[in-house]
Amino acid sequence: MTDTSADLVVLGGGSGGYACALRAAQLGLSVVLVEKDKLGGTCLHRGCIPTKALLHAAEVADAARDGDQFGVKSSLEGIDMPGVNSYKDGVVSRLYKGLQGLVKSRGVTYVEGEGRFVAPNAVEVNGQRYTGRNVVLATGSYSRSLPGLEIGGRVVTSEQALALDYVPEKVVVLGGGVIGVEFASVWRSFGADVTIVEALPRLVPAEDEFLSKQLERAFRRRGIKFKTGVKFTGATQSASGVSVTLESGEQLDADLLLVAVGRGPSTSGVGFEEAGVRMERGFVLTDERLRTNLPNVYAVGDIVPGLQLAHRGFQQGIFIAEEVAGRNPQPIDEAGIPRVTYCEPEVASVGLTEAATRERYGSAETITYDLAGNGKSQILKTAGAVKLVKAPDGPVVGVHMIGARVGELIGEAQLIYNWEAYPEDVAPLVHAHPTQTEALGEAHLALAGKPLHAHG
């Protein structure tokens, strides 16, 4: 076995791993990037990108079906799933080609194969050992299931759901978090009968309670059924369908059961424990500088406890590259990472919820601006709101939004949070008219005590 050494050996080529490799190479370090599957990882091939393509197709379907309300005579003839899939796969393959080119052009040594962390400074892959002055663990996550719930046949995870070549007539979605509500939204737009089952008391339970209530109201209007605060007890498959039983004794029959109960860290069988990496429930524990308990070994992305988001992994990867290159970067504030759920209507937030603010500061000031007062939202015929949360005598610490396209507003929202803006700082800024960003401006005017338009 030959031994190759580099400044940085990265195990995993998803958002966190490839961002780390590219930034490190840019900073003049020698880099080895190891990936067993495809460069780009879950996000590009089985996550963010393909699901958002489906959600866009769903939006087009809704627009065609509802053209009448805009005086446009359009109707929906049907959904051609092979056509939808070829559009989705085209988007993925163009991005994949671009990413491959980028890694090649930056001089990163790319190794395809299943890597194993064999010593505190070495990764073994295809019988070859790569020793790094620094090692980055970036092995990502997998779709979890529940104990006793076998994936297969009519019981699928998001991975199989993305490859379906038909629209199921009836679907039960197990899990009302981000992945669950996004798929529920797609299938409803495509004409399916959808029921979400969530064990926690509300949909998108990690969001501010206000957003959950608003989303539930919107889903009711769309005819998406959901049962919250109820536990799943079992599923049985037959040739014609799947039967789901709940703790309440209720039974739901469907063509398909989507298991969307979250993602687990892909850390078993890759040598982490044997090498002495400190772990908890399968996650790799790090400090705020993403260092593990082993010297010069870092961890990034979905294997580190916290939000499992591609852009979090991406930013962490850049942070580690700069850290290793001696740039001494600022630690990432987890609350400052924007969160978007791309169902219809969209849900977007950054910073603390009202409950978390009260817990941290003892009290909170909030204001809610209804999108009914926003010109562009009226044009788009979307309902929703912007809710701001402010620390007592302090800056805005939470921005929570719901409505069509509000994911696009999160850029300004995260600046407001991350730059610790006070309502008075944002109020005088000019927002273009008519745009939905005006809703952010109006909400800050109101919070600064000078609302221009009367408020509900």
Side-chain angles (χ1 to χ4, degrees), residues 38-119:
K38 284 177 166 172
L39 191 58
T42 294
C43 168
L44 177 54
H45 300 283
R46 302 175 297 279
C48 342
I49 298 296
T51 52
K52 295 342 157 226
L54 280 188
L55 282 149
H56 182 64
E59 190 185 325
V60 173
D62 288 334
R65 190 190 285 115
D66 304 331
D68 267 7
Q69 55 175 334
F70 303 106
V72 175
K73 290 194 181 312
S74 62
S75 61
L76 182 64
E77 277 180 40
I79 304 294
D80 162 25
M81 270 321 283
V84 170
N85 286 335
S86 108
Y87 148 68
K88 161 180 71 74
D89 297 344
V91 172
V92 171
S93 92
R94 281 190 297 279
L95 291 169
Y96 179 43
K97 275 199 186 79
L99 185 56
Q100 285 172 306
L102 206 53
V103 165
K104 208 173 258 148
S105 72
R106 288 272 169 90
V108 170
T109 304
Y110 181 60
V111 184
E112 237 172 295
E114 191 151 349
R116 193 179 165 82
F117 186 53
V118 289

Side-chain angles (χ1 to χ4, degrees), residues 63-64 130 132 135 148 171 188 191 195 230 249 288 294 329 349 374 407:
Y130 295 90
V135 174
V171 197
R188 184 66 190 133
T195 305
V230 60
E288 62 164 10
L294 301 180
S349 66
N374 176 262

Side-chain angles (χ1 to χ4, degrees), residues 174 196-201 226-232 246-250:
L174 187 55
I196 302 169
V197 175
E198 169 56 62
L200 290 169
F226 51 90
K227 297 177 184 300
T228 51
V230 60
K231 286 196 170 67
F232 159 92
L246 307 178
E247 208 174 37
S248 57
E250 197 177 348

Side-chain angles (χ1 to χ4, degrees), residues 1 4 15 21 24 26 51 55 68 88 99 112 121 185 198 251 282 289 298 356 369 400 438:
M1 185 188 297
T4 310
S15 306
Q26 196 177 44
T51 52
L55 282 149
D68 267 7
K88 161 180 71 74
L99 185 56
E112 237 172 295
N121 64 345
S185 189
E198 169 56 62
Q251 186 175 316
R289 302 198 76 78
Y298 298 82
Y369 180 80
H400 306 277
E438 287 176 285

Side-chain angles (χ1 to χ4, degrees), residues 283-431:
F283 287 97
V284 175
L285 300 177
T286 69
D287 63 10
E288 62 164 10
R289 302 198 76 78
L290 302 172
R291 296 178 289 216
T292 67
N293 60 311
L294 301 180
N296 303 324
V297 178
Y298 298 82
V300 61
D302 287 1
I303 61 172
V304 179
L307 296 164
Q308 289 175 312
L309 296 170
H311 48 281
R312 170 182 179 252
F314 188 88
Q315 201 58 39
Q316 287 179 334
I318 291 170
F319 173 90
I320 292 170
E322 296 185 349
E323 176 81 342
V324 166
R327 292 284 179 105
N328 196 27
Q330 269 300 101
I332 298 160
D333 172 7
E334 289 270 319
I337 298 170
R339 311 168 288 264
V340 185
T341 304
Y342 297 83
C343 50
E344 169 52 40
E346 285 185 353
V347 170
S349 66
V350 65
L352 306 178
T353 61
E354 181 179 344
T357 304
R358 289 187 187 286
E359 208 168 290
R360 182 178 299 184
Y361 296 102
S363 69
E365 210 179 312
T366 68
I367 198 117
T368 303
Y369 180 80
D370 197 314
L371 290 185
N374 176 262
K376 186 61 185 271
S377 299
Q378 282 293 331
I379 290 165
L380 294 173
K381 280 189 178 281
T382 188
V386 172
K387 173 180 174 176
L388 302 180
V389 182
K390 180 182 168 305
D393 305 320
V396 173
V397 292
V399 182
H400 306 277
M401 305 181 282
I402 183 165
R405 304 187 190 179
V406 295
E408 300 298 331
L409 306 189
I410 203 68
E412 181 178 355
Q414 64 95 15
L415 285 178
I416 290 166
Y417 172 84
N418 285 302
W419 284 350
E420 298 177 6
Y422 281 69
E424 297 74 19
D425 297 329
V426 183
L429 300 176
V430 180
H431 292 83

Side-chain angles (χ1 to χ4, degrees), residues 27-293:
L27 293 170
L29 303 178
S30 55
V31 183
V32 173
L33 178 60
V34 179
E35 170 55 59
K36 65 174 181 181
D37 189 12
K38 284 177 166 172
L39 191 58
T42 294
C43 168
L44 177 54
H45 300 283
R46 302 175 297 279
C48 342
I49 298 296
T51 52
K52 295 342 157 226
L54 280 188
L55 282 149
H56 182 64
E59 190 185 325
V60 173
D62 288 334
R65 190 190 285 115
D66 304 331
D68 267 7
Q69 55 175 334
F70 303 106
V72 175
K73 290 194 181 312
S74 62
S75 61
L76 182 64
E77 277 180 40
I79 304 294
D80 162 25
M81 270 321 283
V84 170
N85 286 335
S86 108
Y87 148 68
K88 161 180 71 74
D89 297 344
V91 172
V92 171
S93 92
R94 281 190 297 279
L95 291 169
Y96 179 43
K97 275 199 186 79
L99 185 56
Q100 285 172 306
L102 206 53
V103 165
K104 208 173 258 148
S105 72
R106 288 272 169 90
V108 170
T109 304
Y110 181 60
V111 184
E112 237 172 295
E114 191 151 349
R116 193 179 165 82
F117 186 53
V118 289
N121 64 345
V123 168
E124 216 168 85
V125 54
N126 307 333
Q128 173 110 350
R129 181 182 272 238
Y130 295 90
T131 307
R133 222 162 34 82
N134 301 276
V135 174
V136 180
L137 310 177
T139 46
S141 60
Y142 65 93
S143 294
R144 280 216 318 254
S145 185
L146 293 176
L149 181 54
E150 279 290 296
I151 303 296
R154 293 177 179 275
V155 178
V156 300
T157 65
S158 54
E159 267 111 278
Q160 293 91 44
L162 279 167
L164 285 185
D165 56 3
Y166 67 96
V167 177
E169 269 178 54
K170 277 187 96 160
V171 197
V172 172
V173 175
L174 187 55
V178 175
I179 296 170
V181 300
E182 287 186 350
F183 273 99
S185 189
V186 166
W187 281 324
R188 184 66 190 133
S189 297
F190 285 173
D193 175 317
V194 183
T195 305
I196 302 169
V197 175
E198 169 56 62
L200 290 169
R202 52 194 176 92
L203 295 182
V204 290
E207 294 291 347
D208 190 273
E209 200 167 334
F210 169 76
L211 294 185
S212 295
K213 284 201 174 81
Q214 293 268 325
L215 183 64
E216 288 171 5
R217 187 183 302 165
F219 270 16
R220 265 187 219 105
R221 277 200 301 267
R222 289 189 59 194
I224 296 173
K225 301 188 278 289
F226 51 90
K227 297 177 184 300
T228 51
V230 60
K231 286 196 170 67
F232 159 92
T233 50
T236 49
Q237 298 193 49
S238 67
S240 60
V242 58
S243 184
V244 178
T245 49
L246 307 178
E247 208 174 37
S248 57
E250 197 177 348
Q251 186 175 316
L252 303 170
D253 295 314
D255 303 318
L256 206 63
L257 170 63
L258 170 68
V259 182
V261 293
R263 298 184 64 82
S266 299
T267 52
S268 64
V270 278
F272 294 178
E273 271 162 303
E274 296 84 335
V277 176
R278 203 157 68 84
M279 293 166 76
E280 197 176 277
R281 294 189 358 265
F283 287 97
V284 175
L285 300 177
T286 69
D287 63 10
E288 62 164 10
R289 302 198 76 78
L290 302 172
R291 296 178 289 216
T292 67
N293 60 311

